[in-house]
Amino acid sequence: MNQESLAFSDGSVNIARLFHTLTYLLGLQPWRTIAYAVGILCLFAMSWNIITVLLRLA
């Protein structure tokens, strides 16, 4: 697994969750959806890294 991409994805997920929480509390609906989508895309990127590592081991 690429350590740089893992660190970037993990940091991005944490920032997106924080931003999502803040926009939820402030009631900023379009930004809340964008923050959620960014977080989900970062989770997909981390999942893809795990899948590629497992396929290389097989």
Side-chain angles (χ1 to χ4, degrees):
M1 183 176 294
N2 189 351
Q3 295 296 326
E4 292 83 19
S5 66
L6 178 63
F8 179 77
S9 295
D10 185 44
S12 299
V13 166
N14 289 329
I15 291 170
R17 285 183 178 174
L18 177 65
F19 190 65
H20 178 268
T21 302
L22 292 174
T23 54
Y24 176 76
L25 292 173
L26 295 173
L28 303 173
Q29 179 53 39
W31 296 107
R32 183 176 137 201
T33 303
I34 292 169
Y36 180 80
V38 168
I40 292 296
L41 289 174
C42 292
L43 289 175
F44 283 144
M46 285 193 289
S47 299
W48 181 253
N49 278 333
I50 291 170
I51 290 169
T52 56
V53 167
L54 291 176
L55 288 177
R56 280 189 223 141
L57 294 176

